[in-house]
Amino acid sequence: MNFKSVHNVYFIGIGGIGMSALARYFVAYGKQVGGYDKTSTEITKALEDLGVQVHFEDDIALVDTKFLNPEQTLVVYTPAIPDNHLELQYFKTNGFNVVKRSVALGEITKQTQCLAVAGTHGKTTTTSILGHLLNECNAPVTAFLGGISENYNSNLILNGTETTVVEADEFDRSFLTLAPDIACITSMDADHLDIYGDASELHKSFKEFSGCIKPNGKLFVKNGLLLEGITYGVEDNSDYEAQNVRIENGAYVFDLKTPQNIFEAFRFHLPGRHNLSNAVIALAMAIEYGCNIPDLKTGLDAYRGVKRRFTYQIKTKDFVYIDDYAHHPTEINAVHAAVREMYPNKRVLAIFQPHLFSRTKDFVDEFAESLSNFDEVLLLDIYPARELPIEGVTSNWLLNKVENLNKKLILKSEIIQSIKNSDADIVLTLGAGDIGEEVKYIKAAFSNEG
């Protein structure tokens, strides 16, 4: 795919986090960019501020005529768009070059030096740490992020075009389009079983991904995964390892062991051993890329995280409110461990919105177990995303399995009053659905309290 001959890029589903990063990339390189999405959001407004034309009705008549030339227009769509989408059907039947987002991203990685982050958990945080580190080392990098970086207030870090940092997404096997020079796999927990059927098929696809690495490329794997590669971890005798880990003033301080050396006194401000593990692999990949240690120390100390990844919304002596994207039992366990490590004697309330009927069905017992660890649990109805309901799969079904006397099913409109009724010191909102839209209201309601 020769992007030089492409003058216009049209996105169907432009408001998605990955799609909008790609749209920003093409805007930065002088292409005419437009697109459709179902609803207006902060992401689509930010794109419009860049001059991108976005509309919200599925109607080819609303598409600017400059995008209707098949010779000069690339059409990119997300798998979340249904096959009967009128605009998608028009472009497919009228001779346009129509590709999935993963294919467009794959082409970019083939034409650059690519560092790719794969795994069922930790991709977005690890990618954003790695992109930030390379940017701090002044590498000629474009980093495509699956979330909004707190450092850049964007899902795209842009400092050049020779190197790309990307999330390698296992959903619908799209990461098999990538061609990385350096890659890592953070985890292979069962997920997306609506796509894969069972965990063995998921593992098989990660094995296939490891075969996508360019000749003479390098693969890093979290210590303990059943794959060959350079290992990384936290105090577990890996090739790249955080050692001598301690907490000072709410931050991790650690030494980094590499296959050749030990470098002392790195500082990292995100809570949770899972995040520390993400920092270790980002450092390992940056070192293999060629970054120097002093720049990496400065960069890591300055890293501030990704929105909705253990994001402190309120942090006072008496009241803490944290928002997190966690939508899988392993991720909820990681958030719980981080909270208990940082606030060992505090009472913790978790407000969780399950994401997808299929995921709730596949992992209901694991969800119940992970939620039972909190002092108090409030459940919202399941966020359906791309799915139709499954009979018997409800939040009430999940709630009945949670072993906790302080549990309740609530509506979104009841969140603020429910927090007021609680005596918890720490409040968490968890989930990948539209619970994120409630954060600003909760923050406003409690910012003057505590």
Side-chain angles (χ1 to χ4, degrees):
M1 192 185 299
N2 182 3
F3 290 135
K4 289 196 175 102
S5 65
V6 171
H7 296 287
N8 313 306
V9 189
Y10 187 80
F11 288 85
I12 304 177
I14 197 167
I17 198 78
M19 291 281 277
S20 59
L22 208 52
R24 284 173 174 272
Y25 173 81
F26 282 117
V27 169
Y29 291 104
K31 310 298 184 188
Q32 296 283 333
V33 176
Y36 155 87
D37 212 297
K38 202 161 46 176
T39 50
S40 173
T41 62
E42 287 177 18
I43 289 176
T44 58
K45 288 188 185 100
L47 287 171
E48 288 174 304
D49 289 343
L50 291 175
V52 176
Q53 297 176 334
V54 185
H55 62 265
F56 304 98
E57 283 181 57
D58 177 16
D59 184 351
I60 202 71
L62 297 174
V63 179
D64 192 291
T65 53
K66 65 172 167 274
F67 297 107
L68 299 179
N69 179 346
E71 304 296 314
Q72 297 185 332
T73 301
L74 172 68
V75 178
V76 182
Y77 71 100
T78 166
I81 296 293
D83 291 336
N84 62 357
H85 191 273
L86 298 176
E87 291 182 20
L88 182 60
Q89 284 184 335
Y90 175 88
F91 288 118
K92 280 184 171 178
T93 54
N94 282 279
F96 285 79
N97 187 6
V98 181
V99 299
K100 277 187 187 177
R101 172 190 163 268
S102 57
V103 173
L105 191 58
E107 286 299 322
I108 292 171
T109 66
K110 288 179 181 125
Q111 297 166 32
T112 57
Q113 182 175 10
C114 173
L115 289 78
V117 178
T120 43
H121 318 295
K123 284 190 296 293
T124 298
T125 299
T126 304
T127 306
S128 75
I129 299 171
L130 180 57
H132 170 71
L133 292 176
L134 264 57
N135 190 58
E136 289 281 308
C137 296
N138 205 27
V141 65
T142 299
F144 296 92
L145 311 180
I148 304 297
S149 160
E150 297 279 9
N151 289 77
Y152 305 91
N153 198 31
S154 175
N155 53 354
L156 187 73
I157 301 171
L158 195 58
N159 192 46
T161 58
E162 292 169 36
T163 301
T164 48
V165 173
V166 301
E167 287 190 31
D169 191 359
E170 75 282 358
F171 173 72
D172 82 353
R173 298 178 171 84
S174 63
F175 61 176
L176 301 181
T177 64
L178 303 177
D181 296 86
I182 303 173
C184 76
I185 297 174
T186 64
S187 49
M188 297 193 302
D189 291 323
D191 198 6
H192 303 302
L193 298 186
D194 54 324
I195 303 290
Y196 284 96
D198 64 51
S200 65
E201 287 298 311
L202 180 71
H203 290 176
K204 203 183 292 180
S205 75
F206 277 106
K207 181 83 174 158
E208 281 181 60
F209 169 72
S210 67
C212 296
I213 296 169
K214 291 173 190 164
N216 303 319
K218 290 184 174 166
L219 175 67
F220 291 84
V221 296
K222 186 167 172 59
N223 199 347
L225 294 183
L226 299 175
L227 284 172
E228 288 294 313
I230 304 164
T231 59
Y232 75 93
V234 177
E235 295 179 329
D236 61 357
N237 204 28
S238 300
D239 298 319
Y240 280 82
E241 177 191 16
Q243 295 184 336
N244 189 22
V245 178
R246 60 261 189 214
I247 294 175
E248 294 179 7
N249 299 321
Y252 285 116
V253 179
F254 64 97
D255 303 336
L256 182 70
K257 185 198 89 175
T258 75
Q260 289 80 33
N261 294 294
I262 294 178
F263 300 101
E264 295 183 343
F266 282 82
R267 184 174 290 273
F268 182 59
H269 295 274
L270 261 61
R273 291 271 169 146
H274 62 298
N275 281 323
L276 185 55
S277 174
N278 295 335
V280 170
I281 182 52
L283 288 167
M285 292 172 79
I287 289 168
E288 291 285 351
Y289 174 81
C291 292
N292 67 61
I293 296 299
D295 285 345
L296 290 176
K297 281 190 178 180
T298 303
L300 193 68
D301 192 16
Y303 178 74
R304 290 293 172 264
V306 177
K307 290 188 194 307
R308 300 218 64 228
R309 303 306 194 280
F310 211 95
T311 302
Y312 282 101
Q313 299 292 341
I314 301 173
K315 192 177 185 182
T316 67
K317 185 165 60 73
D318 302 314
F319 184 77
V320 174
Y321 169 37
I322 296 162
D323 178 49
D324 194 279
Y325 188 71
H327 58 285
H328 184 282
T330 302
E331 293 164 353
I332 294 171
N333 286 334
V335 171
H336 176 260
V339 169
R340 296 298 188 197
E341 185 178 32
M342 289 294 160
Y343 303 101
N345 300 310
K346 300 287 189 179
R347 185 173 171 81
V348 183
L349 161 65
I351 304 164
F352 177 55
Q353 180 188 48
H355 184 263
L356 298 180
F357 295 102
S358 60
R359 185 182 282 123
T360 306
K361 175 174 171 282
D362 290 335
F363 302 108
V364 66
D365 291 327
E366 292 87 345
F367 274 123
E369 192 177 330
S370 62
L371 291 167
S372 297
N373 291 321
F374 296 101
D375 300 300
E376 191 176 342
V377 178
L378 297 174
L379 269 191
L380 299 177
D381 282 332
I382 296 169
Y383 184 77
R386 55 187 179 267
E387 294 184 334
L388 294 171
I390 299 172
E391 190 176 346
V393 178
T394 64
S395 285
N396 201 47
W397 178 52
L398 168 57
L399 188 75
N400 286 334
K401 289 175 173 282
V402 174
E403 293 184 10
N404 190 323
L405 295 175
N406 299 303
K407 61 180 183 179
K408 192 178 176 187
L409 191 64
I410 64 166
L411 302 171
K412 277 189 295 185
S413 59
E414 298 173 317
I415 291 176
I416 289 170
Q417 188 57 49
S418 298
I419 297 171
K420 286 180 177 174
N421 295 343
S422 168
D423 58 359
D425 310 289
I426 317 288
V427 173
L428 307 172
T429 43
L430 306 174
D434 59 4
I435 190 171
E437 299 296 313
E438 303 302 312
V439 172
K440 54 183 177 282
Y441 303 117
I442 299 168
K443 186 175 180 178
F446 293 96
S447 284
N448 298 320
E449 298 186 17

